[in-house]
């Protein structure tokens, strides 16, 4: 089914942060938009705010004055719900409360035309459950925009159990016509993004709680090695711990306390203290006047390492070897088990075992483990760890080697799968499980994570690049060393490994 014609009137209910943004998106796409809020004057005030914001964009040369006028003139404040009778699509963005939303939807059914599509911007309520109180739930879908709606590219279109596939297709096409990246998801807790993103926060919180490194170091690794726009602590400080913790608790409860989604005590403590992040002046970091921002820990070395010997296949570390060669380091090869010899040190990408455990298992002295990087050829920082008792000179030689290639080195306490590898493995595992359970297609899961939360690579494309074999190993080792089902590898990863297939062609 094709997108709604621009002559179809769109109504938005709730003129708060989301409703105002959604109204602006629909009006910019050429629809006449009726904006309603049950607070008298709120809709007119929101339209005034949109107008002022667009004036600034015109002044900065980012928007034509005619486009601003067209958008503002298309926005109509409406004080009574009955005035929405002409709308062909109604999007509700009111308070996140099941009973209040159900009550509104029931009223809309009596006011709107039979062919009017009803959509909810809910981020946590089941569309199936919302539709349960309706006379015709087939015309209800989720239309989950991200904040701020005019800026964020993603819209998750949510299909409830009763949603008519033709209505779903029309909403997907309409969101696309509005310039958004639209993905289709089944109505399941957290939909795609709020589910698959949970490990991004959860694993950093756990690493901090276990004293593996401080916030600034873990954030720097996710940014500079992982390629994420922000680390988990700076991002949750921005989102607000009250909001982020509430989403985690809601997903955890909705999945019947699956430990994969377990909330964190240290985040709860921030919430208890009222340290919500930037908006309250304190979170993991201190935003008050004069407060200093802590720096990531970096090891220094004055040594020089002229040579690296590669034993066997370097695997994901191949980009690092090319970078070392480019930096004038001699790289030679011989047969072996995928290890690098750097002076007195033996170096390997973590496989999820503790350094101490792998040293004992494989009989490797002076073992130094590297964390994952999105792109070893370009990363500016890398995490490393080693077992206690490792020769200090061996560690120093690894630091010297990486520093020579322009890579800052952050030390991590010996912990399974370090920081970026653990985070990426758990993101890929969650994405694989969402695929297994038919929540969305592999393409839509990756698109949602790139467009909705700006991940540098879709988690399933990342899994393809690393290989399901490595991921199953890493997750299996994490599961064994913690003794927790939280780290159990998804059946989807195991199946793909057994079948020798990838997520994408
Ligand atoms: P908000 O609190 O900024 O705005 C809600 C607006 O709805 C208020 O202006 C309120 O007066 C109005 N309202 C409440 N009950 C109403 C009713 N019965 N009839 C008409 N108007 C009513 O909330 P926000 O942040 O805009 O969220 C709205 C919805 O969007 C919620 O369902 C939320 O879960 C969802 N959402 C929020 C995101 C966010 O980052 N804030 C992101 C994606 C979805």
């Amino acid at each position: 089914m094709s997108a709604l014609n621009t002559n179809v009137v769109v109504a938005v209910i709730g003129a708060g942060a989301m409703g105002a943004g959604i109204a602006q998106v629909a009006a910019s796409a050429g629809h006449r938009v009726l904006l309603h809020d049950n607070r008298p004057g709120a809709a007119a005030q929101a339209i005034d705010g949109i107008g002022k914001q667009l004036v600034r964009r015109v002044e900065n040369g980012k928007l034509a004055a005619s486009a601003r006028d067209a958008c503002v003139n298309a926005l109509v404040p409406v004080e009574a719900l009955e005035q929405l009778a002409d709308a062909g699509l109604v999007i509700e963005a009111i308070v996140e409360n099941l009973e209040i939303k159900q009550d509104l939807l029931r009223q809309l059914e009596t006011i709107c035309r039979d062919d009017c599509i009803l959509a909810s911007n809910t981020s946590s309520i089941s569309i199936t459950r919302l539709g349960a109180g309706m006379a015709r739930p087939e015309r209800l879908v989720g239309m989950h925009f991200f904040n701020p709606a005019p800026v964020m590219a993603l819209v998750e279109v949510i299909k409830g159990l009763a949603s008519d596939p033709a209505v779903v297709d029309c909403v997907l096409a309409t969101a696309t016509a509005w310039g958004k990246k639209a993905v289709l998801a089944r109505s399941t807790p957290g939909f795609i993004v709020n589910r698959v993103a949970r490990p991004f926060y959860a694993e950093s919180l756990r690493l901090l709680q276990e004293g593996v490194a401080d916030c600034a170091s873990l954030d720097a690794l996710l940014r500079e090695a992982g390629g994420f726009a922000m680390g988990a602590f700076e991002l949750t400080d921005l989102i607000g711990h009250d909001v982020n913790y509430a989403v985690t608790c809601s997903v955890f409860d909705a999945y019947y306390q699956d430990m994969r989604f377990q909330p964190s005590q240290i985040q709860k403590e921030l919430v208890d203290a009222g340290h919500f992040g930037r908006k309250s002046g304190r979170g993991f970091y201190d935003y008050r006047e004069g407060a200093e921002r802590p720096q990531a820990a970096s090891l220094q070395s004055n040594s020089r390492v002229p040579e690296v010997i590669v034993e066997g296949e370097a695997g994901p570390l191949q980009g690092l070897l090319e970078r070392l060669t480019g930096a004038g380091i001699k790289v030679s090869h011989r047969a072996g088990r995928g290890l690098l010899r750097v002076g007195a040190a033996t170096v390997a990408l973590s496989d999820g075992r503790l350094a101490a455990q792998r040293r004992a298992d494989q009989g490797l002295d002076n073992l130094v483990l590297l964390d994952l990087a999105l792109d070893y050829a370009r990363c500016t920082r890398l995490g490393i760890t080693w077992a206690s008792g490792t020769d200090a000179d061996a560690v120093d030689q690894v630091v010297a080697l990486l520093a020579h290639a322009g890579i800052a080195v952050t030390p991590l306490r010996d912990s399974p799968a370090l920081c970026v590898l653990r985070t990426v493995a758990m993101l890929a595992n969650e994405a694989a499980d969402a695929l297994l359970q038919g929540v969305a297609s592999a393409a839509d899961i990756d698109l949602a994570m790139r467009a909705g939360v700006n991940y540098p690579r879709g988690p399933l494309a990342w899994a393809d690049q690393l290989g399901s074999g490595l991921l199953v190993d890493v997750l299996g080792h994490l599961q064994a060393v913690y003794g927790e089902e939280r780290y159990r590898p998804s059946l989807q990863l195991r199946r793909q490994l057994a079948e020798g297939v990838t997520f994408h062609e």
Side-chain angles (χ1 to χ4, degrees), residues 214-221 223-224 293-300 381 408-411:
D214 55 50
C215 294
S217 298
L218 294 167
D219 275 351
L221 283 173
R223 258 187 285 110
E224 296 182 45
R293 186 67 180 250
Q295 299 297 308
S298 300
L299 296 172
Q300 310 294 334
R381 180 176 298 276
V409 180
T410 291

Side-chain angles (χ1 to χ4, degrees), residues 112-134:
C112 298
R113 303 185 321 229
D114 277 357
D115 64 347
C116 176
I117 295 174
L118 302 179
S120 171
N121 184 49
T122 180
S123 43
S124 64
I125 301 174
S126 153
I127 296 299
T128 300
R129 183 127 186 242
L130 272 182
M134 293 172 64

Side-chain angles (χ1 to χ4, degrees), residues 13-19 36-39 42 81 92-97 100-101 104 120-124 144-147:
I13 308 179
M18 292 308 293
H36 169 74
D37 196 289
N38 67 355
R39 266 186 305 126
L81 211 52
E92 74 77 16
I94 66 166
V95 59
E96 188 76 343
N97 175 294
I100 300 178
K101 282 192 195 288
L104 174 69
S120 171
N121 184 49
T122 180
S123 43
S124 64
H144 185 217
F145 288 80
F146 288 70
N147 193 12

Side-chain angles (χ1 to χ4, degrees), residues 161-179:
L161 201 58
S163 306
D164 179 346
V167 170
V168 172
D169 285 350
C170 173
V171 171
L172 280 165
T174 302
T176 307
W178 292 0

